[in-house]
Amino acid sequence: MTSTDKPAGWRPVIAGAFAFFTVMAGATIPTPLYPTYVSTYGFSPLIITVIFAVYGGGVITALLGTGPWSDQIGRKPLLLGGLVCTALASLTFVLADGLALILVARVLQGLSAGIFASTATVAVAEFAPKGHDRTGGILSTIANMGGLGMGPIIGGAIVAVLPGPLVTPYLIHLALVAVAGLLLWPVAEPHPSVKDPHLHPQGLAVPEQVRPIFVPAAISAFAGFMVCGFLGAVAPGFLGRVLGYTDAPLLTGFVAGVIFLTSCIGQIAEASLPKNRKLVIGMAILTFGIALVTLALWQQSLVWLIAAIAVAGLGHGVAFKSGLSAISALTPAHQASEVTATYFVVVYVAISIPVLIIGALEGPLGLPLVAVGYGAASALLSAAACLLILRRR
C-alpha cells in the first residue's frame, strides 16, 4: 500500500484515535490532583491557576509552530513526536518535587495536545477506510473531546483507589502512551511528504469576508472555553472549600470532565441540525447552560451544577463545531490553515488567561463571589455572540 492509498482495515484509525485519546486525556489527568498539590506544596489559588494556564501557552506554541508541518513531512512524524512530548510530561510529573518541574510538565502537555489538535484531527479521518470518512471524523471528535473529558475522571479514579496520588496516575498514563506508540508505529503514513520541506511557523489571519461570522463564533467559543477553564482550574477548589467535598477526587474529576463529554455528544449531533440554524441553536443552548452554571454556583448546589454543566457542554459542542464549519465554508482555501489556527488561538487563550483573573481575585474577594462573577461574564459574552449572529441573519 502506498502512502496515498486509503487503509483497507480499521486498525490504523483505531491506533490513531487511541493515540489522540491518550494525549488529550493526559492533559487533563492533573485536574483532580490540584487539591493534593495544594496540601503537599502549599500552593496558593493563584499558583494553581498558573499551573493550569501554562498548558494553554504550550498548545498555542505548538499550533503556531508546527501547525502546517504535517502537510510537508507527513502525519506520523508529528504524531510520534506528540507522543514523546506527552510521555516526557508524565515522566516530569513523576520526578517533580516543586513548582518548576510541574510547570515544565504542563508546558510539555500543552505542546503534545497542540501537535495532536492540528495533526491528529486530520490524520484519524485519513486513516479511516475508504467510504468511512464521516466515521473517521466522529472517531476523531470522540478521541479529542472524550480524552479531555475522561482524563480527569481517570485521574480521580486512580487517586481514589491506588496509593501515590502524585505519581501513580502519571505512571499509568506512561503505560497508555507506550501502548499507543506500539499501535501507531506500524501504521502506514496517510499523507505523502514533500522532497524539500520548508518548515515555518503558522500565520494568523481573518479575511474580511470571514469576519462577520468569525467574530460571533469566536466570542461564543471564548465564552464556552472560559467555562472549561474554570472547571479545570478552579472547580477542584470550589468543590472542596465552598461545597465541602474535600476528599472526593473522583467527583472532582467528573465535574471537570462532564462538559467535554457532553460537548462530544453535541459535536456529533450537530450534523443532524438544520444547516442554517446550527450556530444559532448552539449559541442559544450554550448561553442558557452557562446561565444555569452561574445560578448553580450562586446557589452552591452540586446537583444543579452538574446538570447545568451538562447542558452547557451540549451547547458548547454544537456551537464550537458549527462555528468552525461556518468559518471554514467562507475561508479561501489558501488561508484555511491560518484562519483555523486563529480560531484555536482564541479558544486556548480563553482556557488560560481568564482563570488567572480568578486566581488573582480569589484572595481579596473570596471564591464564591469571584466564581459567580466569572460565570455571569461568560454568560453575557455568549449572549452577545448569539445576538450578533441573529443580527447577521
Side-chain angles (χ1 to χ4, degrees), residues 76-339:
K76 277 188 62 180
L78 271 298
L79 297 179
L80 293 172
L83 286 177
V84 170
C85 274
T86 196
L88 289 174
S90 286
L91 182 61
T92 304
F93 268 121
V94 170
L95 300 175
D97 57 358
L99 180 61
L101 286 182
I102 292 172
L103 292 176
V104 171
R106 285 295 285 166
V107 172
L108 287 170
Q109 285 183 329
L111 291 172
S112 63
I115 291 170
F116 265 73
S118 60
T119 304
T121 302
V122 178
V124 172
E126 292 175 340
F127 284 142
K130 188 175 181 179
H132 294 278
D133 291 349
R134 171 163 167 73
T135 303
I138 291 173
L139 287 175
S140 177
T141 297
I142 292 172
N144 186 356
M145 288 294 170
L148 290 170
M150 288 303 299
I153 296 174
I154 292 170
I158 292 171
V159 171
V161 300
L162 295 176
L166 300 184
V167 173
T168 305
Y170 304 116
L171 292 178
I172 292 176
H173 183 250
L174 279 170
L176 293 174
V177 173
V179 173
L182 291 174
L183 291 174
L184 190 61
W185 184 263
V187 171
E189 170 61 56
H191 186 83
S193 59
V194 300
K195 291 183 179 180
D196 187 21
H198 297 282
L199 304 182
H200 55 82
Q202 175 68 67
L204 299 177
V206 183
E208 185 175 354
Q209 69 269 31
V210 182
R211 291 171 193 169
I213 191 66
F214 184 93
V215 172
I219 293 173
S220 176
F222 193 95
F225 278 93
M226 275 180 67
V227 178
C228 295
F230 170 83
L231 295 172
V234 185
F238 190 88
L239 290 174
R241 298 195 301 276
V242 178
L243 299 185
Y245 297 94
T246 55
D247 188 20
L250 184 55
L251 174 63
T252 300
F254 179 77
V255 170
V258 69
I259 192 168
F260 293 109
L261 298 179
T262 55
S263 176
C264 184
I265 296 171
Q267 290 190 46
I268 294 171
E270 179 263 354
S272 63
L273 296 175
K275 183 177 180 180
N276 294 329
R277 299 179 182 176
K278 293 179 181 181
L279 187 53
V280 173
I281 292 172
M283 288 178 174
I285 297 173
L286 176 62
T287 302
F288 179 65
I290 298 176
L292 290 179
V293 169
T294 306
L295 182 60
L297 291 171
W298 180 53
Q299 294 290 329
Q300 299 183 9
S301 168
L302 176 63
V303 173
W304 283 109
L305 179 61
I306 293 173
I309 292 169
V311 174
L314 287 173
H316 174 277
V318 175
F320 176 73
K321 182 72 178 294
S322 57
L324 187 58
S325 298
I327 290 168
S328 299
L330 294 176
T331 301
H334 68 282
Q335 291 183 291
S337 61
E338 295 175 336
V339 175

Side-chain angles (χ1 to χ4, degrees), residues 45-46 49 230 234 237-239 241-243 297-298 300 355-375:
L46 178 59
T49 56
F230 170 83
V234 185
F238 190 88
L239 290 174
R241 298 195 301 276
V242 178
L243 299 185
L297 291 171
W298 180 53
Q300 299 183 9
V355 297
L356 294 175
I357 298 174
I358 293 183
L361 295 179
E362 181 180 339
L365 299 180
L367 184 54
L369 177 60
V370 174
V372 172
Y374 187 89

Side-chain angles (χ1 to χ4, degrees), residues 57-67 110-115 118:
V59 175
I60 292 172
T61 299
L63 284 172
L64 299 183
T66 68
L111 291 172
S112 63
I115 291 170
S118 60

